[in-house]
Amino acid sequence: MRRHIPRPLTVAAFGALFLAAAWFTGCDLTLLWSRRGHLTDIAREMFPPEWSFAGKVLPLLWITVQMSVTGTVLGAVLSVPAAMVCAAPLPGPRAVKKLLRFCIQVLRSFPALILALLATFFLGIGAFAGTAAITVYTFAIMTRLTYEDMEHAPLGPYTALRAMGATSVRAFSRSIFPEIAPSYLTNALYLLEGNVRHSAILGYVGAGGIGLLLNEKVSWREYGKVGMILLLLFVTVYLMEALSTLLTRLVQQEVTLGRTGRWALAGAAGGLFLLCTLTLPPPDLSRTSLRMVRALLTGILHPDWGLFFQTDSSGLAYLLLETAAIALVGTCVGVVLAIPLAFLGSGRFFPAPVAWLFRTLVAAIRSVPFLIYGLIFIRVCGPGSFTGVLTLAVCSVGLLCKRFSEAIDALDLRPCLALEAMGVTRLPRIRHGVLPQLSPQLFSATLYRFDVNIREASVLGLAGAGGIGAPLIFAMNQYAWNQVSTLALGMILLAWLVDLISTACRRRAD
């Protein structure tokens, strides 16, 4: 019999963990409040933006879109055969399945920025390296999501087709894939939205796109130009999300198109992919050599074990603890901020103009890359873990609001209407008629965001916001591959531990 920990004890334990993490990261709201004028000054200098700077931004913005579209499509396509190998119910050697799953878990441990920096060592500086990083990043996430969907799909039709002599690929394409296709396409479209934001910062490490220009203007405090970049990036992300929402509704059959419309849409999507792919610049292999590859592999296979046993702030244990604490506090603060914003952005509870205003605000928050928030908050609060917490809190608001809003739109409002008929005011109606239905979705979205924040916290150190990212990237730039190996191993172990905890929490919640 499973023993359940009493809910008050669970809440108390989590509260103590949160307070300990907040203390460890140096959270100081009085500091933020006392320096709030710096934040308003930056916002005032950004808007109105410097309109004349748009001509320089647009070509780099197009490269950002190129990388995200090509990388997402290639990664999603490659994930299908990989997921077929990983899925437990499908035929194949068990050892191969375990090995490939392990490789996918390793790849999922690294954010796109780290993958992009690594790609520049092999493929040279430019958009090709950035596209390769987005492809690998998308491939790892989509493979994991797709093989999990395959394992939950009904296997009866697949088994029947195999018994009739169909090959495994043909049986899969006729039985399992139609079952998982809506979820697969929805996940791919969701990743496409996120990859636009990821691509916008890859230029920071020389992997093409708008990132280098954006970082340069933030560093030089040319906030009028920063405002122009962010405005164009917001428009791009907003249009991409609108297109993604339409395609998702088509996939889920909430909206239907005629045969001509479907062919036109497929042709437009294919044309966009070909245009983005065929106009990518080729890789620059002039600096790639066997000597460099040999040095990299030798260093990776011989980690610097001394970092494991250092007890100061440069040791691996401290860096991982700091990264986890930043992600935990940032996620929790983001949840607290996202819940009311999600309700304010719902047309089911507030007038349409109010809902549109808050949805646009959240879309604007979501369109800014997380590393840029880090650079801005450093101007306000200075470098350190607290800046990382603020950055991830704001970034969490964007993603969580979207997930929460989708859950709110799918609510059954009859309990809420019944309470309204009884004369219950709005807040108690939400508390007793809405939140019990939303709790599973809120919990799942929070765990997913924490998983994302662990990866994003691992590169915030590059902007001076704490965590393991700065030592890792500095070691890569100095070709100290034995240190890179140790720090990367730590990131893999941290991501694996978080994955285990998330899985255990979901099982307990079920």
Side-chain angles (χ1 to χ4, degrees):
M1 177 182 294
R2 178 185 296 177
R3 296 179 60 186
H4 292 277
I5 301 175
R7 185 180 295 268
L9 184 59
T10 302
V11 173
F14 183 79
L17 179 64
F18 172 80
L19 291 176
W23 170 81
F24 185 78
T25 53
C27 292
D28 186 358
L29 295 179
T30 59
L31 173 64
L32 178 62
W33 180 254
S34 66
R35 305 196 65 176
R36 65 190 184 279
H38 294 269
L39 192 59
T40 55
D41 289 342
I42 291 174
R44 193 181 301 115
E45 292 180 36
M46 283 187 185
F47 298 100
E50 191 172 319
W51 300 103
S52 60
F53 194 59
K56 189 171 182 179
V57 176
L58 289 173
L60 296 175
L61 187 60
W62 165 245
I63 295 174
T64 300
V65 172
Q66 275 185 294
M67 294 191 299
S68 58
V69 170
T70 301
T72 303
V73 173
L74 291 178
V77 170
L78 293 173
S79 71
V80 176
M84 292 177 63
V85 176
C86 290
L90 299 183
R94 185 179 299 272
V96 175
K97 292 180 182 293
K98 289 184 177 181
L99 178 61
L100 185 54
R101 285 194 182 207
F102 173 76
C103 294
I104 295 300
Q105 178 62 34
V106 169
L107 291 176
R108 287 183 64 249
S109 303
F110 300 103
L113 191 67
I114 300 295
L115 295 174
L117 179 56
L118 186 62
T120 59
F121 290 110
F122 293 97
L123 302 173
I125 293 174
F128 196 93
T131 304
I134 294 295
T135 300
V136 173
Y137 178 80
T138 303
F139 167 78
I141 296 177
M142 283 297 297
T143 300
R144 170 71 179 269
L145 295 174
T146 304
Y147 79 66
E148 288 179 347
D149 288 340
M150 290 178 184
E151 292 176 347
H152 289 91
L155 296 177
Y158 174 82
T159 305
L161 288 172
R162 288 285 289 158
M164 295 169 62
T167 63
S168 59
V169 174
R170 185 175 182 83
F172 170 82
S173 64
R174 294 298 181 89
S175 58
I176 295 179
F177 189 75
E179 290 287 337
I180 68 169
S183 176
Y184 170 81
L185 293 174
T186 300
N187 290 334
L189 290 171
Y190 179 76
L191 273 174
L192 176 61
E193 298 174 23
N195 284 342
V196 174
R197 293 186 289 274
H198 289 305
S199 299
I201 62 171
L202 297 188
Y204 194 96
V205 294
I210 205 171
L212 183 59
L213 181 66
L214 186 53
N215 173 62
E216 175 186 289
K217 298 311 173 187
V218 171
S219 300
W220 291 353
R221 303 189 182 188
E222 297 181 2
Y223 293 119
K225 295 178 179 179
V226 173
M228 189 69 250
I229 296 172
L230 294 182
L231 178 61
L232 291 175
L233 189 59
F234 164 71
V235 172
T236 302
V237 172
Y238 191 86
L239 293 175
M240 194 73 73
E241 289 188 0
L243 178 61
S244 176
T245 300
L246 173 61
L247 293 176
T248 300
R249 295 182 67 188
L250 286 171
V251 169
Q252 297 175 350
Q253 298 183 345
E254 297 176 7
V255 176
T256 57
L257 285 178
R259 184 175 182 181
T260 303
R262 290 197 299 271
W263 278 106
L265 185 61
L272 176 62
F273 169 71
L274 290 175
L275 177 63
C276 291
T277 304
L278 296 178
T279 56
L280 276 173
D284 180 12
L285 303 178
S286 59
R287 298 182 181 180
T288 305
S289 66
L290 285 177
R291 182 179 178 182
M292 186 200 73
V293 174
R294 190 181 302 112
L296 187 152
L297 293 177
T298 302
I300 293 295
L301 295 175
H302 296 83
D304 181 3
W305 298 109
L307 286 176
F308 275 93
F309 304 106
Q310 290 183 13
T311 56
D312 58 7
S313 59
S314 63
L316 181 63
Y318 182 93
L319 294 172
L320 292 178
L321 183 61
E322 185 180 35
T323 300
I326 291 171
L328 176 64
V329 180
T331 303
C332 293
V333 175
V335 170
V336 172
L337 297 175
I339 290 177
L341 284 175
F343 278 101
L344 288 169
S346 172
R348 307 187 78 181
F349 293 94
F350 291 91
V354 175
W356 178 84
L357 177 64
F358 280 95
R359 284 199 304 271
T360 304
L361 173 63
V362 171
I365 293 173
R366 198 164 55 242
S367 67
V368 179
F370 71 94
L371 199 60
I372 302 306
Y373 279 122
L375 294 171
I376 291 174
F377 278 121
I378 280 177
R379 301 285 186 272
V380 179
C381 298
S385 302
F386 183 42
T387 295
V389 169
L390 294 174
T391 300
L392 292 186
V394 174
C395 294
S396 297
V397 167
L399 183 144
L400 290 174
C401 270
K402 183 172 183 179
R403 289 292 187 92
F404 294 172
S405 297
E406 291 171 352
I408 290 171
D409 291 341
L411 279 174
D412 180 2
L413 291 181
R414 287 176 294 182
C416 195
L417 294 174
L419 291 172
E420 183 180 10
M422 295 168 61
V424 179
T425 57
R426 176 172 291 174
L427 287 179
R429 289 202 307 268
I430 292 175
R431 165 67 180 84
H432 298 286
V434 175
L435 290 183
Q437 297 183 60
L438 288 180
S439 295
Q441 291 89 339
L442 299 185
F443 184 70
S444 176
T446 301
L447 286 178
Y448 174 76
R449 184 63 212 187
F450 177 62
D451 185 69
V452 171
N453 280 346
I454 284 289
R455 291 158 178 78
E456 293 192 348
S458 65
V459 296
L460 282 177
L462 187 61
I468 199 174
L472 176 61
I473 293 178
F474 291 158
M476 293 175 73
N477 285 328
Q478 295 171 4
Y479 304 102
W481 298 116
N482 56 342
Q483 295 181 21
V484 170
S485 177
T486 304
L487 296 170
L489 181 60
M491 291 178 62
I492 293 168
L493 292 175
L494 179 61
W496 174 71
L497 180 61
V498 168
D499 192 53
L500 290 179
I501 294 173
S502 298
T503 301
C505 290
R506 288 190 177 92
R507 287 177 179 172
R508 184 170 291 276
D510 294 339

